[in-house]
Amino acid sequence: MGVGNTGKGVSELADEVRERLSSPSGQELFALLIVLGIVVLALDLVRRLATGEMAFGRLWRYTWNGLVDSLYIALAAIGLSMTYSILRFANFSHGDLVTTGAFSGWAVAWLIGGWGVYGVGELVLFSPTAAGPTGGELGMSVLASPVAILVGLVAAALLTIGVALAIDRLVYRRMRDASGISLLIASVGVALALRYIIGVFWTVESHSATASAPILEEIPAWLPFERLNLHELTLVATAVGLIVGLHLLLQYTKLGKAMRAMADNKDLALITGIPTERVIFATWSIGAGLAGVAGYLIVLDRGQFSINIGWFLLLLIFAAVILGGIGSIYGALVGSLVIGLTINVSLVWIPADLNEIAAFTLMILILIVKPDGLLGGVETA
Amino acid sequence: MSGADPDGDPETETAEVPGDEEPDDSEEPSAVIRPEWRSDLLLVAKVVLATYVGFFVVGVLSGAGVNATVGTIQSITFFGAIFALGALALNLHWGYTGMFNIGIAGFMAIGAYTLSIAVASPDGSPAGFGLPIPVGIVLGTIAAGLAGLVLVIPTLRVRADYFAIVTLGFSEIVRLSVQSRSLREIGDTAYGTGGGQGIRATPVDSVVGWLFDQPIVGDVGGVLIVLGETVGIASSVLERGIYTLVLILFVVAFYVLLTRIAHSPFGRVLKAIREDELAAKSLGKRTDRAKIAAFALGCALMGLVGTLWMGSRTHISPDNFMPLITFYVFVALIVGGAGSNTGSVIGGFAFAAFIFEGPRFVRTMVRANLGTDFPRTAHGAFAELGAGDPSALIGYVLYQQADEVRYIVLGVVLIVLMIKRPDGLLGHRKEIAAGVDLSRRGPVADGGRPAVGSDDRAGTESETDDPAATNGGDRDE
Amino acid sequence: MSDLERGPDAGAGRSEGDADDRADRAVEDAVLEVEALEKRFGGIVAVDGASFAVERGSITGLIGPNGAGKSTTFNCIAGVHRPNGGRVVFDGEEITGEEPHQVANRGLVRTFQIARELPEMTVLENMMLAPKGQRGESLWRSVLPYFREEVLDQERELRERAWETLEFFEIDHLAEEYAKNLSGGQRKLLELARALQTDPEMLMLDEPMAGVNPTLEKKLLEHVHQLREQGYSFLIVEHDMDVIMNNCERVIVMHQGAVLDEGAPAEIKSNEQVIEAYLGGEV
Ligand SMILES: Nc1ncnc2c1ncn2[C@@H]1O[C@H](COP(=O)(O)OP(=O)(O)O)[C@@H](O)[C@H]1O
Ligand SMILES: [Mg+2]
């Protein structure tokens, strides 16, 4: 099929053309430099380990933290990648869906944990006055009140889905034909409105929602841990479970196949025209649900949070999506892994308050050198 | 707003029927082509005046007091000028060239930090170089321009939405860098960014004090302050007002510069890049060069805005440069209509009045009428609402949460504009990218001009059109 | 549909050799020479060793069924795509792999199959953009007082030329209209008029008659002939065999990325392969 001969492929052609315009030799050179940089760092790492300048345990800790970070980044990145490819715009309000999940989920968890003992307002708003309980007093840990935590998790997903669908109906559905840039700008508006509506209720101050995490001290010797943080473990187990579940959904259900086709195959998406509302519904549901869960789990792991939790995460999520190649769900997983490891393992060389800079720089470099993502061009699903 | 001035913008109405408007205007034959200076200026004046009168009447009637109301109006003007400057600079990137830069805060930060480091006292912590403020402003502008240059060269080929992410990432990198502890004091030197605490330096608006020390200006200023105090306006408000006047001069300068660019072959190339870069290239246009020049210039202007705005504080810190700043400027431009310099100015002002200062003004009025005794939490507000006192909730939202309300309004305005009026409140404005009036040549207007340009074109080709023209037949269809 | 999937018959090597022979035979003073041009998109070989030449001052037709690689050939010549192999020579100088603006500034200007007017710019702005050597395209000159005067002088001249060309194409009544409001045919005319504003030596037109009504088509062809009289060279992609046969001195037939035949219209018409390719292409 001649791309140039079908009238509808104009923008496609334009993209294509622009891509071809880029001088490959310069890019290749640039890519080579990056690879070289990574090799040098790897060699330096080996040297540090060999000379004992850095203990192996520290590297392992960084790596483990990187894996944990990459899991919640992945949960959020999957949804962003899906909306990016199916609705065709960079959704800057995705981070605030993460925030929505954190606040709505924990509000429900508190409500259940303190039901009948404290007032509803005090619980839902995480004790706005000194009179209210703390997360510790409510026993907000997976051992003390597993039911409240679990129900909160489900509520985080459902309420975030509800918010996302409402936003879609109010905003994005009216703009199905609009350009990606118009949608992007509108999504910035959504991000601000959503975040500060939350802010009106919960204020911009930071909250602490959980009891301190239960720690397992007695670990089987074959595990590479001295102690296990059960909240972290819950995060890991839930995230891995959801990712595996999503994988099964995409591989084995009809809906999953349709979505995969739409996300991976731009031509097919073009031929089928504007994606059906049903696929859009599924996209928002899965994407927002995972984002909400991500927000909820981050709070479980960290304890502290504020309304900026999602916004601060947004660029890291974008970085993961871009690294993996927009539209590729499996790419988003790989991208998240790279970003998670980057922000942690980079601590070997740079101070902790520069690690996000490393991740953003990596993202910009990838956008310049390989805008298709690291796996670009490879069939990933 | 657009309804308020039926005659302000004749271009939009006549766009569809070329050729038959304004039959008698023999000097400037067509309003469609020429930038309408007079009507544009009038439009700006009308919007500004209407806003002033509106705020004044509402302020005084609501009992907010003359000083508070005039303070608000001065604030509106100050921020109106700031956002007009920002929107004008952004218009060069986005409105003209189609470069979707959402890293404005980063370029402002580079400008303001460069200024502060340049002018801060050498004994301070972190230390500065103690240079004069004008030097600092120039350095800040140059630094931001250079940063733009460094960023744009490798990203020339990047798609619009990726470019947005790159620029946002860049501005966050800048902010996180100046915030970082490791740059608080660089190496063993006393110089640095001050990390999270920021830098203390002589503010740029100390120019007002300097002005007051000058012979004539100072006398006039002294009289103004006395006059102001007699009607209840604090001298600080007036002094701030004088700095605002300086800003307005900058707005005029930006406007002239950018309008010159817009009405020039360079501006035409920029516009062509926005419309279709490949088409422009295929006509032999060096689009890369034009994009680099436009982007670097716009970034330099953003840096300058950063120095004029944040530099007017005694102290700057990384928190002054959150990405929100970028979206302020964006909304200002979108309100006015991207692609129009006049729209940028009006948008900047309207944004400052109704979105940026509006909620604060409401807060002032609430305080004047309902006091300040409002619940501090949503919990308390709803509790009192349950107890039958709705003013608690109103007070909570409008008084305690005025900033949050501003951001919500900001978001909602952005959404509504993108859905309903993507061309801005003023609607689409036809501004022609050419240095001269393009309407059909007058018989006398240019007859005597020597053929300056023909010598650098291939001689044989420039003749080829002439026989064609005679074949072309009638001028009047 | 693409012919690539259809015919196993046309081998690349064969047509390459033939093409060289033909080129030597027919073209005396070539303004454009293409040698063994090759362009692949992933697995698709869009242009597969095409070689041909265009006589200076001629109207040369480039025909071939959909997907034959004509537009891709244009894109490779004009610098939009970097060819994977082969050479492009314009006016005796190799231009392979140059950027589009470099090619255009050499005097080889093209139009697009789908007209690329600048939609939110008026017809006049479109016309004013095109001329080469505009001093005001430098930021400084367009802003600084003394230089700006020069720029404005040049603008006035360009305005004259723009109106003349618009009158020549009889679209001057649309001068102040946004390009996006033009009909498909008018856009094609505008694109051609705009290309002429660059003072080109040679024009490559990709399906200039597509979507143009018969009256306009006739006019457009008249213009092309007039311009040819003035010394321009043309390479025109066209689907309509009749148009090609009646207007071109020479015709190049492309099929599956390679040149199938090359010669005078009458010769081409009688070539069995061409007929077959066309019948095949139209099914
Ligand atoms: N940018 C592109 N990416 C991938 N394939 C392309 C691209 N451009 C053209 N093609 C393919 O190359 C072949 C030739 O296309 P084209 O040059 O447009 O043919 P023509 O203009 O002769 O109809 C077609 O199979 C088309 O699908
Ligand atoms: Mg074609």
Side-chain angles (χ1 to χ4, degrees):
Chain A
M1 30 182 161
V3 172
N5 293 323
T6 52
K8 63 182 170 252
V10 186
S11 66
E12 275 282 292
L13 183 68
D15 280 351
E16 176 67 33
V17 160
R18 232 162 269 144
E19 219 170 280
R20 305 280 157 188
L21 275 173
S22 53
S23 105
S25 52
Q27 274 193 359
E28 276 158 20
L29 205 73
F30 208 40
L32 199 71
L33 277 178
I34 294 176
V35 171
L36 218 67
I38 292 172
V39 169
V40 168
L41 286 182
L43 288 177
D44 183 59
L45 197 60
V46 172
R47 181 189 62 82
R48 280 167 192 249
L49 287 173
T51 60
E53 194 177 318
M54 193 185 61
F56 190 80
R58 209 170 110 215
L59 180 62
W60 165 240
R61 203 165 62 243
Y62 288 154
T63 310
W64 170 251
N65 289 344
L67 292 174
V68 173
D69 285 351
S70 69
L71 281 173
Y72 64 74
I73 293 175
L75 287 182
I78 290 168
L80 185 64
S81 181
M82 279 167 54
T83 46
Y84 209 146
S85 61
I86 289 178
L87 297 165
R88 286 170 197 285
F89 74 102
N91 181 9
F92 275 66
S93 65
H94 198 74
D96 295 283
L97 291 178
V98 173
T99 308
T100 306
F103 278 84
S104 59
W106 283 102
V108 169
W110 273 48
L111 204 55
I112 290 172
W115 186 257
V117 184
Y118 298 94
V120 171
E122 271 174 339
L123 291 172
V124 166
L125 297 176
F126 310 128
S127 299
T129 56
T134 64
E137 284 161 17
L138 287 177
M140 282 293 141
S141 80
V142 286
L143 287 187
S145 20
V147 177
I149 301 277
L150 184 65
V151 176
L153 180 78
V154 175
L158 293 180
L159 292 171
T160 309
I161 291 172
V163 168
L165 290 175
I167 291 170
D168 184 59
R169 162 155 296 190
L170 282 172
V171 182
Y172 301 128
R173 184 176 293 182
R174 296 163 197 256
M175 302 183 70
R176 290 278 191 260
D177 299 331
S179 72
I181 292 297
S182 303
L183 281 159
L184 189 162
I185 296 171
S187 79
V188 170
V190 170
L192 288 172
L194 183 57
R195 188 181 330 149
Y196 286 98
I197 287 172
I198 295 174
V200 164
F201 290 96
W202 279 277
T203 75
V204 294
E205 306 300 321
S206 92
H207 303 275
S208 114
T210 59
S212 52
I215 307 286
L216 272 191
E217 302 278 359
E218 284 162 36
I219 310 282
W222 50 270
L223 276 176
F225 300 99
E226 286 163 21
R227 34 192 249 129
L228 265 182
N229 176 326
L230 279 189
H231 282 177
E232 195 169 83
L233 204 64
T234 311
L235 185 159
V236 170
T238 314
V240 169
L242 283 171
I243 289 169
V244 170
L246 182 71
H247 167 72
L248 296 179
L249 176 87
L250 289 177
Q251 293 295 335
Y252 299 109
T253 68
K254 216 172 132 193
L255 174 72
K257 280 176 190 155
M259 295 182 61
R260 215 147 40 97
M262 296 204 64
D264 284 349
N265 191 334
K266 277 192 183 144
D267 284 338
L268 189 65
L270 271 177
I271 289 165
T272 45
I274 300 163
T276 63
E277 292 297 320
R278 205 173 64 90
V279 173
I280 292 176
F281 178 87
T283 306
W284 280 121
S285 301
I286 296 174
L290 293 178
V293 168
Y296 185 83
L297 291 176
I298 295 169
V299 175
L300 179 70
D301 188 28
R302 292 188 196 160
Q304 296 263 332
F305 65 114
S306 79
I307 61 168
N308 279 320
I309 181 174
W311 173 251
F312 286 154
L313 207 59
L314 181 68
L315 263 185
L316 290 177
I317 305 172
F318 264 119
V321 169
I322 286 161
L323 279 164
I326 284 169
S328 161
I329 287 161
Y330 297 90
L333 295 179
V334 176
S336 305
L337 198 63
V338 174
I339 290 298
L341 288 174
T342 302
I343 55 180
N344 287 284
V345 177
S346 64
L347 298 178
V348 172
W349 297 278
I350 58 178
D353 57 4
L354 291 179
N355 64 348
E356 288 189 23
I357 294 179
F360 296 161
T361 309
L362 186 66
M363 171 184 81
I364 291 178
L365 290 179
I366 292 294
L367 273 179
I368 292 170
V369 179
K370 217 166 173 318
D372 295 343
L374 291 174
L375 310 176
V378 182
E379 280 297 318
T380 55
Chain B
M1 208 177 301
S2 52
D5 66 305
D7 56 345
D9 189 13
E11 294 95 317
T12 46
E13 265 73 50
T14 53
E16 298 298 309
V17 261
D20 58 1
E21 74 283 344
E22 300 206 16
D24 299 326
D25 196 342
S26 51
E27 277 186 22
E28 294 292 352
S30 169
V32 174
I33 301 298
R34 208 71 178 134
E36 279 286 294
W37 297 91
R38 264 164 298 164
S39 79
D40 275 5
L41 202 62
L42 207 66
L43 182 63
V44 175
K46 274 184 194 168
V47 172
V48 170
L49 266 181
T51 309
Y52 282 172
V53 171
F55 271 77
F56 194 80
V57 170
V58 171
V60 172
L61 286 187
S62 69
V66 173
N67 186 47
T69 305
V70 172
T72 298
I73 287 176
Q74 129 44 46
S75 239
I76 287 173
T77 318
F78 174 83
F79 285 109
I82 292 289
F83 292 125
L85 290 171
L88 280 166
L90 179 61
N91 191 36
L92 180 64
H93 285 168
W94 189 41
Y96 260 86
T97 322
M99 300 178 95
F100 197 70
N101 175 6
I102 51 173
I104 303 168
F107 295 105
M108 287 187 175
I110 291 172
Y113 267 90
T114 307
L115 165 78
S116 291
I117 294 171
V119 305
S121 145
D123 316 320
S125 167
F129 291 90
L131 296 170
I133 287 177
V135 175
I137 291 179
V138 170
L139 289 178
T141 308
I142 292 174
L146 287 179
L149 204 64
V150 169
L151 185 65
V152 74
I153 289 176
T155 52
L156 282 170
R157 306 272 191 273
V158 172
R159 269 168 46 173
D161 51 347
Y162 291 1
F163 191 75
I165 295 168
V166 166
T167 48
L168 178 63
F170 174 79
S171 87
E172 285 292 87
I173 288 175
V174 171
R175 185 178 65 85
L176 293 170
S177 301
V178 294
Q179 191 170 33
S180 162
R181 216 165 306 147
S182 32
L183 294 181
R184 185 157 60 192
E185 281 177 358
I186 297 166
D188 294 330
T189 69
Y191 303 107
T193 63
Q197 276 104 54
I199 308 182
R200 184 168 295 280
T202 324
V204 170
D205 62 4
S206 56
V207 70
V208 175
W210 179 81
L211 280 176
F212 275 18
D213 287 343
Q214 304 308 303
I216 302 168
V217 188
D219 298 338
V220 176
V223 172
L224 274 180
I225 287 187
V226 173
L227 274 180
E229 275 170 352
T230 56
V231 292
I233 301 166
S235 65
S236 62
V237 170
L238 262 178
E239 276 164 22
R240 197 99 179 121
I242 291 177
Y243 182 60
T244 302
L245 280 181
V246 174
L247 288 184
I248 290 173
L249 291 182
F250 273 97
V251 174
V252 172
F254 271 42
Y255 185 87
V256 169
L257 172 68
L258 292 170
T259 306
R260 277 202 162 203
I261 289 175
H263 296 286
S264 78
F266 178 69
R268 199 153 58 220
V269 173
L270 297 186
K271 217 169 162 183
I273 292 170
R274 178 192 75 190
E275 292 298 304
D276 187 338
E277 185 169 356
L278 180 58
K281 273 193 169 201
S282 297
L283 290 168
K285 301 298 137 185
R286 303 184 63 170
T287 54
D288 287 351
R289 216 171 55 169
K291 276 164 87 173
I292 292 171
F295 193 77
L297 175 63
C299 291
L301 295 181
M302 287 166 184
L304 176 55
V305 181
T307 64
L308 296 176
W309 178 10
M310 297 307 179
S312 71
R313 306 177 172 194
T314 51
H315 173 255
I316 58 167
S317 74
D319 289 346
N320 297 145
F321 302 99
M322 298 292 271
L324 254 179
I325 302 284
T326 299
F327 298 124
Y328 290 160
V329 177
F330 244 92
V331 177
L333 180 60
I334 292 172
V335 166
S340 159
N341 287 322
T342 309
S344 302
V345 174
I346 295 175
F349 184 80
F351 170 79
F354 298 102
I355 301 176
F356 194 78
E357 281 295 327
R360 280 194 202 163
F361 186 56
V362 171
R363 184 176 192 265
T364 310
M365 290 192 293
V366 169
R367 182 174 50 201
N369 291 296
L370 301 174
T372 58
D373 185 22
F374 297 114
R376 296 186 168 278
T377 66
H379 181 227
F382 280 103
E384 290 192 33
L385 180 68
D389 179 10
S391 74
L393 184 61
I394 296 171
Y396 171 71
V397 173
L398 296 182
Y399 184 80
Q400 305 285 17
Q401 302 284 333
D403 281 348
E404 281 77 2
V405 168
R406 175 205 283 170
Y407 302 132
I408 295 170
V409 171
L410 185 70
V412 171
V413 165
L414 211 43
I415 295 166
V416 172
L417 278 176
M418 290 329 287
I419 294 178
K420 302 266 185 217
R421 305 212 57 157
D423 284 332
L425 283 181
L426 299 175
H428 187 78
R429 297 172 61 81
K430 198 170 190 172
E431 294 187 357
I432 300 299
V436 296
D437 184 345
L438 290 187
S439 57
R440 202 158 296 209
R441 52 221 140 133
V444 244
D446 312 296
R449 295 273 178 195
V452 185
S454 60
D455 41 15
D456 57 6
R457 287 200 297 272
T460 50
E461 252 83 48
S462 53
E463 284 150 33
T464 54
D465 282 352
D466 294 333
T470 49
N471 291 341
D474 276 76
R475 279 186 191 175
D476 305 310
E477 59 282 349
Chain C
M1 271 329 265
S2 166
D3 300 84
L4 291 169
E5 297 141 30
R6 201 180 44 81
D9 44 335
R14 187 212 59 212
S15 30
E16 223 174 277
D18 289 359
D20 284 346
D21 293 346
R22 278 192 304 272
D24 294 344
R25 187 171 30 148
V27 177
E28 283 161 10
D29 178 17
V31 61
L32 177 73
E33 291 163 275
V34 173
E35 285 169 29
L37 196 69
E38 195 182 316
K39 180 68 194 174
R40 293 184 298 268
F41 295 111
I44 302 173
V45 185
V47 180
D48 190 4
S51 302
F52 59 84
V54 175
E55 173 95 33
R56 193 181 301 278
S58 74
I59 301 178
T60 302
L62 178 58
I63 62 171
N66 253 341
K70 306 180 296 291
S71 296
T72 308
T73 303
F74 266 33
N75 284 336
C76 289
I77 296 171
V80 175
H81 295 325
R82 193 178 288 267
N84 297 101
R87 264 159 49 91
V88 181
V89 177
F90 178 69
D91 246 355
E93 285 177 53
E94 174 153 2
I95 59 166
T96 324
E98 284 192 357
E99 288 279 302
H101 68 88
Q102 292 172 308
V103 176
N105 283 325
R106 286 176 180 275
L108 178 53
V109 176
R110 54 88 58 96
T111 65
F112 292 86
Q113 182 170 345
I114 300 160
R116 298 186 87 120
E117 79 287 355
L118 303 162
E120 293 268 349
M121 292 168 80
T122 65
V123 168
L124 265 173
E125 281 181 292
N126 267 273
M127 298 293 286
M128 293 286 288
L129 173 72
K132 278 191 273 196
Q134 296 192 40
R135 292 169 192 181
E137 279 175 12
S138 124
L139 170 57
W140 303 117
R141 284 176 183 274
S142 69
V143 171
L144 296 180
Y146 170 74
F147 296 103
R148 187 164 171 91
E149 282 314 306
E150 275 183 22
V151 168
L152 295 191
D153 282 342
Q154 200 184 20
E155 288 277 273
R156 290 188 190 95
E157 276 169 48
L158 296 182
R159 174 179 65 193
E160 302 303 297
R161 276 186 59 198
W163 277 103
E164 278 165 15
T165 314
L166 286 178
E167 281 159 6
F168 176 64
F169 282 94
E170 294 170 36
I171 47 174
D172 50 332
H173 61 290
L174 297 168
E176 289 169 6
E177 196 67 62
Y178 278 121
K180 66 177 177 190
N181 296 335
L182 268 53
S183 73
Q186 288 167 338
R187 283 178 212 190
K188 287 274 182 192
L189 270 182
L190 170 60
E191 225 192 1
L192 179 55
R194 192 176 67 183
L196 279 176
Q197 287 286 96
T198 63
D199 286 336
E201 194 173 324
M202 172 174 173
L203 282 159
M204 301 200 295
L205 312 181
D206 198 347
E207 304 198 13
M209 261 70 85
V212 177
N213 69 45
T215 332
L216 213 51
E217 179 176 319
K218 206 164 140 264
K219 210 158 85 181
L220 208 145
L221 284 169
E222 270 170 30
H223 291 318
V224 168
H225 281 288
Q226 275 180 27
L227 291 165
R228 198 268 308 269
E229 304 291 301
Q230 292 162 19
Y232 292 90
S233 314
F234 283 92
L235 178 63
I236 302 181
V237 167
E238 182 48 50
H239 265 313
D240 188 338
M241 272 290 214
D242 289 338
V243 169
I244 290 287
M245 295 302 157
N246 296 334
N247 292 284
C248 300
E249 289 103 59
R250 286 174 43 77
V251 181
I252 299 154
V253 188
M254 274 189 84
H255 183 49
Q256 297 182 352
V259 174
L260 190 65
D261 199 2
E262 193 177 4
E267 296 170 36
I268 298 292
K269 223 170 183 170
S270 56
N271 184 324
E272 292 286 326
Q273 277 181 311
V274 175
I275 295 167
E276 195 192 318
Y278 257 83
L279 284 178
E282 273 162 10
V283 169

